[in-house]
Amino acid sequence: MGTAESTKRNQKSANPSTTQRESDCCSMAEHRDNIDDFKVQTAKHGNISSAPLRPHNDYSKDRASKRLSTDSNGTSEGGAGSSTPVEVTALEESFRRFAIHGDTRATGKEMHGKNWSKLCKDCGVIDGKNITLTDVDIVFSKVKKKSSRNITFDEFKVALGELARKKYKEKTGDEAEAEVFKQIEGKAPVIAGVTRAVASPTVSRLTDTSKFTGSHKERFDPTGRGKGKAGRVDVVDTSGYVSGYKHQGSYEKKVTKPTVGKPM
């Protein structure tokens, strides 16, 4: 008995490839059985999709293109953004222009109270009757967050709605807002010009240097141009000429005559 078992063990160890082929055949048979079972299940249930599976690279490309489209629309992934970029309205463009006015560090997304008051003044929202500067400041403090000094574009529209309903009491809320929006759309901050001097006889008389007397007269030349330090400080004349002598430097010109070459 011991000899027969040892003989079979030696045969198996001597032919390992035979054992491996047998196991491969069994696994292939099981794989074919699984495929047959899947076909049977597919035939029974018709709702299983027969479309071929897409490779993983296609899903990655779709995900990247979706992210780019949502970034251009200003929405996050999975948001309800449209397939085209969001168009900036004329009202929002005016909001950005006033938001960055006078502030080089402003981004145009928020507006502080000073520019809000300027917008209402330049665009004609403040009329001095129904809407005053005080009303504008009160509405700004009402719509902004407690911990913030600025308002966003959405809060800006809410503030305009508050002012519109107070300015146009005879109109509905939507009509009043539309009327105020029209006053602001496409507008830009008004830059004030340089203050001009007022021309008056009194000012002309005080600035006419030809009528100055005494020490003030000595500070200007006949053309009205200031002499600078020479008109304020007594400069000592060390030329050797007496004061009032008009022919200063003429002697040197007479002595140093130019030499003319004589003909040969």
Side-chain angles (χ1 to χ4, degrees), residues 52-248:
L53 298 177
R54 300 175 62 187
H56 181 70
N57 293 336
D58 293 345
Y59 288 106
S60 300
K61 292 179 181 179
D62 292 345
R63 189 180 183 85
S65 61
K66 184 178 181 181
R67 187 183 71 252
L68 292 175
S69 62
T70 54
D71 290 344
S72 63
N73 295 336
T75 58
S76 59
E77 184 177 351
S82 60
S83 59
T84 58
V86 178
E87 183 180 358
V88 178
T89 60
L91 181 64
E92 187 174 0
E93 183 63 26
S94 298
F95 172 83
R96 292 180 179 180
R97 291 175 182 174
F98 280 92
I100 64 176
H101 176 69
D103 190 358
T104 56
R105 296 177 297 176
T107 60
K109 296 181 180 180
E110 294 181 340
M111 180 185 295
H112 55 74
K114 184 178 179 180
N115 286 353
W116 159 253
S117 300
K118 180 175 178 59
L119 181 144
C120 295
K121 182 180 179 181
D122 293 350
C123 298
V125 179
I126 299 176
D127 55 6
K129 296 179 181 179
N130 297 326
I131 302 297
T132 61
L133 184 60
T134 304
D135 298 328
V136 170
D137 294 337
I138 292 174
V139 171
F140 181 83
S141 301
K142 181 179 179 181
V143 300
K144 76 177 184 66
K145 298 179 181 178
K146 293 183 179 180
S147 60
S148 177
R149 288 183 168 182
N150 305 325
I151 59 174
T152 61
F153 180 66
D154 293 334
E155 295 170 345
F156 168 76
K157 291 192 294 184
V158 174
L160 290 181
E162 293 283 342
L163 296 178
R165 286 187 289 273
K166 186 174 183 180
K167 185 175 183 179
Y168 302 102
K169 298 179 181 179
E170 68 281 0
K171 297 183 179 181
T172 61
D174 295 338
E175 292 177 353
E177 289 183 5
E179 191 69 24
V180 173
F181 289 172
K182 288 180 181 179
Q183 294 180 355
I184 299 174
E185 290 176 352
K187 298 294 182 62
V190 177
I191 301 176
V194 180
T195 304
R196 297 180 181 180
V198 179
S200 65
T202 304
V203 175
S204 300
R205 180 174 59 82
L206 294 175
T207 56
D208 188 1
T209 58
S210 63
K211 297 180 180 180
F212 289 177
T213 58
S215 61
H216 298 289
K217 183 178 181 179
E218 300 298 329
R219 299 180 62 179
F220 299 91
D221 60 9
T223 62
R225 190 182 186 89
K227 296 181 180 179
K229 184 178 180 181
R232 301 190 303 270
V233 181
D234 293 334
V235 180
V236 179
D237 187 5
T238 58
S239 63
Y241 292 94
V242 295
S243 60
Y245 183 70
K246 298 181 180 180
H247 301 286
Q248 182 179 352

